[in-house]
Amino acid sequence: MKRLFIWLGFALIGIGIGAYSALAMSGLLPGDRRTGGPIEVNGWHGDFAMGSAEASPYFRARIARHGLLALANTEAVYFTRLTDDSGRAFTEDCTYRISGAKMPARWWSVTLYNESNFLPSNTDDALSFDASRAGDGPWSAIISPQRPSGAEGWISSKAGGDFDLTFRLYVPDDGVLESPVEMINAPRVERLECGGDPA
């Protein structure tokens, strides 16, 4: 009887470890907002398996969990970011400047999502910034809960809470999938002030 309880205990421990690892790999643990991957470019994290047949079942579950309808990587590549250039988590109480240059893709966008991985519930109509407003040269936009005066570009963080950013390259140029670090000059995100105090 003692041996039976020992085996039963080991079985329950194994089931618990297996269930935890499956939930962790699938992004189903409370508070898990990671959708990035092994590719890191200027603080942005991506995984080119997103939307491809090579994606593991766990990775597909993670993407489904976060509500992403991923295209094939020849059509779009995705990068996410949870922190500014100084490594501090994004929060709607702060103001940031996101800046970049021409991207190696037919079109690109940066979109803000709240802590639940949904678009924030506000009526500002300013939840993303894209190639159509950036032009062909250097560009910048302000991320803040109120529209800044004089800023050419604005991404509203109102009702975003502890938000994150998703950077997408649509129809990336030849070579991007093979050499992303060399070819993608991913946007910088600088914290300007927080709660009225300078960064």
Side-chain angles (χ1 to χ4, degrees):
M1 183 63 77
K2 183 178 178 182
R3 181 174 293 179
L4 176 63
F5 281 115
I6 291 174
W7 282 109
L8 182 60
F10 280 123
L12 290 175
I13 291 171
I15 291 171
I17 292 173
Y20 178 85
S21 65
L23 291 172
M25 291 292 290
S26 302
L28 296 173
L29 293 176
D32 187 352
R33 300 167 56 211
R34 296 169 298 153
T35 56
I39 302 167
E40 192 270 329
V41 183
N42 293 350
W44 299 82
H45 295 269
D47 192 329
F48 290 167
M50 188 181 295
S52 75
E54 291 77 32
S56 72
Y58 289 122
F59 189 58
R60 293 182 188 191
R62 179 179 293 278
I63 298 306
R65 160 73 172 163
H66 291 283
L68 299 176
L69 300 174
L71 299 171
N73 59 21
T74 54
E75 298 178 40
V77 292
Y78 306 80
F79 293 89
T80 58
R81 187 166 183 171
L82 304 176
T83 61
D84 62 24
D85 287 348
S86 299
R88 294 171 291 194
F90 292 133
T91 175
E92 77 172 286
D93 296 330
C94 300
T95 298
Y96 306 87
R97 177 186 293 113
I98 183 169
S99 58
K102 183 175 173 59
M103 298 295 170
R106 186 173 298 174
W107 196 75
W108 59 266
S109 69
V110 177
T111 306
L112 185 147
Y113 293 93
N114 65 20
E115 60 263 39
S116 299
N117 290 105
F118 293 104
L119 294 172
S121 181
N122 70 48
T123 57
D124 290 334
D125 193 28
L127 296 175
S128 68
F129 187 81
D130 60 52
S132 65
R133 291 188 284 166
D136 291 330
W139 57 268
S140 68
I142 298 297
I143 303 171
S144 63
Q146 287 89 32
R147 182 183 296 275
S149 60
E152 294 185 11
W154 176 47
I155 299 174
S156 172
S157 59
K158 184 178 179 181
D162 296 329
F163 64 86
D164 59 69
L165 299 172
T166 296
F167 168 48
R168 297 175 174 89
L169 292 174
Y170 292 93
V171 190
D173 291 353
D174 291 342
V176 166
L177 298 180
E178 292 76 25
S179 306
V181 174
E182 291 78 11
M183 292 193 63
I184 301 173
N185 184 15
R188 297 289 182 180
V189 187
E190 173 192 6
R191 190 165 92 171
L192 301 179
E193 61 90 18
C194 204
D197 298 325

